[in-house]
Amino acid sequence: MAKDEFKEFKLVGTRPNRPDGLDKVTGRARYGADISAPGMLFAAVVRSPHAHARIVKIDASKAEALEGVKAVVTRADFPTGLTGEDWNLQENTIAGDVALYDGHAVAAVAATSALLAQDAARLIEVEYEVLPHVTEVDEAIKPDAPVIRQGAADATVPEGSPPNVVRYMEFGHGDVEAGFAEADLVMERSYKTEATHQGYIEPHACLGQLGEDGKGEMWVCTQGQWFIRKMCTAVLGLDASQLRVTPSEIGGGFGGKTTIFMEPLSLALSRKAGGRPVKLVMSRAEVLRATGPTASASMDVKIGMKKDGSITAANAEFRMQGGAFPGAPVDMALYCAFASYKLPAVHHVGYDVLANRPKCAAYRAPGSPMGAFAVESLVDEMCRELNLDPLDVRLKNAVKEGDRASYGPKFGSIGLIETLEATKTHPNLSAPLGPNQGRGIASGYWFNHGGETSVSMAISEDGTAQVSVGTPDIGGSRASIALMTAETLGIPYEDVRVNVVETGALGVNEPTHGSRATFASGKAAVEAATHAIKEMCRRAANEWGIDEDAVEWVDGAAQPAGPNAGKFRPMTIAEIASKMGSTGGPISGHHESVPGGVGASFGTHVVDVEVDPETGRTTILRYLVVQDAGRAIHPSYVEGQYQGGAAQGIGWALNEEYVYDKDGHLLNPVFLDYRVPVASDLPMIDTVIVEVPNPGHPYGVRGVGETGITPPLPAIANAIHAATGARLRHLPMSPPKVLAAIKAAKG
């Protein structure tokens, strides 16, 4: 580990209590469904029961006749003429001529009570003409598949492609065929993953108010209030400046709350109801039927390897469906798939395919888990064929600083080799295994993100600090930003309060996505604090009558930079702040940028499983996450991100999937049937924080939130193979699938 390369800090790297903890454990924190307003109405949504159907007629007269019903909206209440992604967002919010998936919204109603709104929704009569549908990606890509949206393909799609292919990509480097010819072993396999949902505990909820004058407000559970504003105003034809969006606390998002699904409906209903606020809260079934899961994938991977474990060439063709709209993360899946390996030759091909499913959304390292499942499974299979240690092979081929990534750019400072070395010496790797038990290893990658960022920091009269950020806290970022700000200012952690503010308070901020919050908002907060420090040093210099360059900031106070500057007692931040009204006014700092220097993230996981040979049930015995954090600002939250990603990856690998019947109906739209892991399904998840400093951040931070979900899928598949001899290439690896594979492996 590179921890010794870091300067020792007083606060960064410690584990104080989280600043929002008391509010959350006492119920004082306000989530989306907790928001209310005087005169509030309640909304309910009418959803299509068909996977694909033309909407012939909507009759809302019976609903409108109910006393207490104040508004009904259909697509006719929305502006026309939208194009591109704005049209996709509007069409997904409320169907136009055609309902494109089971659960697609076709109308919404607002009434004086939630029960009345639900009763009214049931009275809205919709006449449908059922159309042919397709939900599986391999079926949807066939030339004779039902056409979901004619003319939806962009300019990248080659002429003559199947009609549901809407985006195509191809890239690589080197002579792949020569690389395969050089290899001692060439293997090609096909893999499939099913769509899974983020599984956040809090359903989508919002309260919207919009007047006839076009001015409105919204309170919403979201990962990005500026994105919500941008999307809602585009869908409704409003000026962005006229809508103010305030984020609530958020009960989980994992990427699924970076976009809109039903938020414009509350605003449209409010406008039609005379500007009364309208509250809309999804049920769990609505969340699973109509909000974005990740894509499902069908993937072909081919790799060449020498007897010594050197990889000579690789090829991948990925097909992904992202629902009835473009946007499957096939590009990111391809970027990440081979990212851990230095490859002399590699070729990637990707297809974004439409299917009659809800519009996909981001889910923690979108695309990367699918790509890792295919590539890391095949690497493991080849290691076993050549009798090579899978960890040594990864070390032999691991990328390092200066290497060119499989998708093009050169890596800066990265920590893959360090995670592999730390894994190799961990006790879990030598723990004994019994009958029907096996161990699997896999690595994973996420490139992380910077994004538009704006932060403001104000010094209070008592010398404490208020930091305003635009990134909702979904993983402990308040604590991390407070630690970095306090470290920079030289004041106690408790003297910094971090506030997540509404869209009118700062410049544009991208959502909390791409593992950017601690990196980008933290970097901006440090810059803002540095700006304030410079101003406080200037004021101290003025009071002492010396040049401001002769003043330095040490341990929360301005002091002369050396003996030649004069002998003055250090002036603390509290002293400077107490008289700022008479020395020039408020002291604050601001920073706006699209920060560069994002550090790529690598991790390696080791899992031990036991498989019941009679039932196929897989039990996770031990689990280890080793990942590079750059610098762990608050180690507890870093460990929590590692463990959370692993837990979700375990669910994806073993249980979770969207199950559709032959008519395109989702069969498991509740948590009783859509099975996420619970505490009894998991062991204690061991973590090792590797720290290879990211030079692009003042405290060495690299995002940690997403890489952790990538290795579990292949690591568990590799462990099941080690335990049973059966190689599973189609997720989830549920007991019936495992049992069938065991029987097939035995002949």
Side-chain angles (χ1 to χ4, degrees), residues 233-281:
T233 53
V235 165
L236 292 164
L238 305 173
D239 292 333
S241 63
Q242 300 305 301
L243 180 63
R244 184 171 68 176
V245 180
T246 301
S248 67
E249 291 295 338
I250 181 170
F254 313 110
K257 291 179 181 173
T258 57
T259 187
I260 58 170
F261 295 106
M262 73 342 175
E263 291 81 1
L265 296 177
S266 68
L267 292 169
L269 286 165
S270 173
R271 180 167 57 184
K272 202 165 184 181
R276 292 178 65 173
V278 175
K279 185 174 185 175
L280 180 51
V281 180

Side-chain angles (χ1 to χ4, degrees), residues 527-671:
E527 294 286 351
T530 302
H531 178 86
I533 287 170
K534 185 176 181 180
E535 174 61 19
M536 289 187 285
C537 286
R538 187 186 69 81
R539 295 194 187 190
N542 287 344
E543 184 161 329
W544 293 331
I546 62 176
D547 192 278
E548 61 184 275
D549 291 337
V551 179
E552 62 181 357
W553 192 261
V554 178
D555 292 333
Q559 67 180 33
N564 293 336
K567 293 185 178 180
F568 301 99
R569 182 180 61 81
M571 191 178 299
T572 67
I573 188 171
E575 291 175 301
I576 297 170
S578 67
K579 49 191 173 185
M580 59 186 175
S582 60
T583 60
I587 298 172
S588 61
H590 309 275
H591 187 75
E592 298 82 23
S593 69
V594 178
V598 178
S601 174
F602 288 91
T604 300
H605 292 199
V606 180
V607 58
D608 292 351
V609 304
E610 181 173 334
V611 180
D612 187 329
E614 295 183 354
T615 65
R617 182 178 187 271
T618 300
T619 300
I620 307 294
L621 302 174
R622 280 175 291 275
Y623 203 101
L624 171 65
V625 179
V626 184
Q627 186 177 322
D628 175 22
R631 174 77 188 198
I633 302 300
H634 193 304
S636 295
Y637 298 137
V638 171
E639 291 163 353
Q641 290 291 327
Y642 291 1
Q643 292 164 334
Q648 288 182 308
I650 290 167
W652 196 340
L654 295 180
N655 295 107
E656 296 181 45
E657 63 176 322
Y658 268 42
V659 180
Y660 285 93
D661 66 13
K662 62 180 180 61
D663 296 318
H665 298 134
L666 183 64
L667 297 180
N668 56 336
V670 292
F671 277 157

Side-chain angles (χ1 to χ4, degrees), residues 356-659:
N356 290 116
R357 296 193 184 208
K359 189 178 192 299
C360 79
Y363 180 16
R364 213 168 189 160
S368 186
M370 298 89 131
F373 173 60
V375 170
E376 294 292 286
S377 294
L378 184 53
V379 168
D380 186 80
E381 193 167 348
M382 298 180 78
C383 289
R384 294 182 186 280
E385 181 73 18
L386 294 172
N387 197 28
L388 298 170
D389 183 279
L391 198 51
D392 289 339
V393 167
R394 286 172 173 82
L395 273 166
K396 187 178 190 68
N397 296 280
V399 288
K400 60 184 182 301
E401 184 174 0
D403 287 340
R404 189 170 297 282
S406 56
Y407 59 96
K410 284 188 176 181
F411 284 115
S413 173
I414 54 175
L416 174 59
I417 289 174
E418 287 81 355
T419 71
L420 290 165
E421 290 173 341
T423 302
K424 194 167 188 176
T425 59
H426 195 277
N428 279 25
L429 215 64
S430 57
L433 293 169
N436 303 314
Q437 295 178 358
R439 178 168 296 137
I441 297 168
S443 294
Y445 168 75
W446 183 247
F447 32 73
N448 288 331
H449 184 56
E452 294 173 283
T453 307
S454 176
V455 166
S456 180
M457 192 212 68
I459 302 297
S460 303
E461 296 89 339
D462 59 358
T464 59
Q466 300 272 339
V467 183
S468 296
V469 300
T471 41
D473 184 354
I474 60 173
S477 58
R478 281 189 184 97
S480 297
I481 292 167
L483 281 167
M484 287 184 280
T485 303
E487 187 79 55
T488 304
L489 291 173
I491 61 177
Y493 166 78
E494 294 77 14
D495 285 356
V496 178
R497 178 165 181 164
V498 177
N499 304 299
V500 180
V501 301
E502 44 92 0
T503 52
L506 287 174
V508 171
N509 277 268
E510 279 196 32
T512 302
H513 67 171
S515 296
R516 67 174 293 272
T518 298
F519 169 80
S521 289
K523 187 174 183 178
V526 170
E527 294 286 351
T530 302
H531 178 86
I533 287 170
K534 185 176 181 180
E535 174 61 19
M536 289 187 285
C537 286
R538 187 186 69 81
R539 295 194 187 190
N542 287 344
E543 184 161 329
W544 293 331
I546 62 176
D547 192 278
E548 61 184 275
D549 291 337
V551 179
E552 62 181 357
W553 192 261
V554 178
D555 292 333
Q559 67 180 33
N564 293 336
K567 293 185 178 180
F568 301 99
R569 182 180 61 81
M571 191 178 299
T572 67
I573 188 171
E575 291 175 301
I576 297 170
S578 67
K579 49 191 173 185
M580 59 186 175
S582 60
T583 60
I587 298 172
S588 61
H590 309 275
H591 187 75
E592 298 82 23
S593 69
V594 178
V598 178
S601 174
F602 288 91
T604 300
H605 292 199
V606 180
V607 58
D608 292 351
V609 304
E610 181 173 334
V611 180
D612 187 329
E614 295 183 354
T615 65
R617 182 178 187 271
T618 300
T619 300
I620 307 294
L621 302 174
R622 280 175 291 275
Y623 203 101
L624 171 65
V625 179
V626 184
Q627 186 177 322
D628 175 22
R631 174 77 188 198
I633 302 300
H634 193 304
S636 295
Y637 298 137
V638 171
E639 291 163 353
Q641 290 291 327
Y642 291 1
Q643 292 164 334
Q648 288 182 308
I650 290 167
W652 196 340
L654 295 180
N655 295 107
E656 296 181 45
E657 63 176 322
Y658 268 42
V659 180

Side-chain angles (χ1 to χ4, degrees), residues 170-177 179-180 301-303 311-317 334-335 337-339 341-349 375 404-408:
E170 185 174 6
F171 58 94
H173 64 259
D175 188 334
V176 173
E177 291 308 316
F180 287 140
V301 177
K302 183 178 180 180
I303 295 177
I311 298 176
T312 60
N315 185 75
E317 181 179 302
L334 289 169
Y335 298 159
F338 296 111
Y341 301 101
K342 184 177 181 180
L343 300 177
V346 62
H347 186 235
H348 311 76
V349 175
V375 170
R404 189 170 297 282
S406 56
Y407 59 96

